[in-house]
């Protein structure tokens, strides 16, 4: 066998890159309101671009995307989602979510998810 040409090397690199990109596809996770949100992420790994689907009864709950400070204090200030079927794409770093219904955040309907 002879040496690989520059053209062949570029093709091999392109194929390897395409294969690796396939492994990096975003995952979709469904968050149900049957348990405390604070427990839901346990045992899961997340990456930037993953999608959370929040399914809930909009007459009882909502989803508020908040800052770390508002997460810690359960302060309802941020982007409020209330369709009952909300899709949120995770960004790199820690993403904070609370339920804005009275008393729900303090009762455990809050979660912090770190995406790599």
């Amino acid at each position: 066998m002879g040496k690989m040409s520059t053209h062949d090397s570029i093709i091999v690199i392109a194929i390897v890159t395409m294969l690796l990109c396939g492994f990096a596809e975003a995952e979709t996770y469904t968050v149900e309101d049957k348990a405390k949100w604070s427990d839901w992420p346990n045992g899961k790994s997340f990456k930037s671009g993953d999608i959370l689907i929040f399914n809930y009864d909009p007459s009882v709950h909502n989803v508020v995307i908040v800052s770390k400070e508002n997460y810690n204090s359960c302060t309802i200030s941020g982007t409020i989602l209330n369709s009952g079927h909300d899709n949120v794409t995770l960004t790199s770093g820690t993403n904070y979510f609370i339920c804005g219904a009275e008393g729900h955040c303090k009762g455990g309907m809050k979660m912090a998810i770190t995406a790599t």
Side-chain angles (χ1 to χ4, degrees):
M1 285 193 130
K3 287 186 172 182
M4 213 187 287
S5 71
T6 302
H7 175 72
D8 292 339
S9 296
I10 291 171
I11 290 173
V12 169
I13 291 170
I15 290 170
V16 170
T17 301
M18 288 188 297
L19 288 172
L20 290 175
C21 287
F23 290 117
E25 288 181 21
E27 296 287 331
T28 300
Y29 298 91
T30 301
V31 181
E32 302 287 347
D33 67 352
K34 296 179 173 122
K36 290 182 177 183
W37 285 355
S38 56
D39 296 335
W40 181 84
N42 294 342
K44 297 175 181 71
S45 296
F46 302 94
K47 59 189 175 303
S48 179
D50 283 351
I51 299 167
L52 301 183
I53 301 172
F54 289 87
N55 288 323
Y56 56 91
D57 179 349
S59 69
V60 179
H61 302 290
N62 62 20
V63 176
V64 186
I65 303 169
V66 295
S67 66
K68 180 180 182 179
E69 294 75 23
N70 290 343
Y71 172 84
N72 289 333
S73 64
C74 287
T75 300
I76 304 162
S77 180
T79 303
I80 300 173
L81 309 172
N82 58 9
S83 74
H85 187 78
D86 303 315
N87 294 341
V88 177
T89 302
L90 296 175
T91 58
S92 184
T94 305
N95 300 253
Y96 298 95
F97 307 94
I98 66 172
C99 178
E102 176 123 11
H104 289 201
C105 178
K106 291 187 180 185
M109 288 201 76
K110 63 189 263 184
M111 69 177 159
I113 294 181
T114 302
T116 58

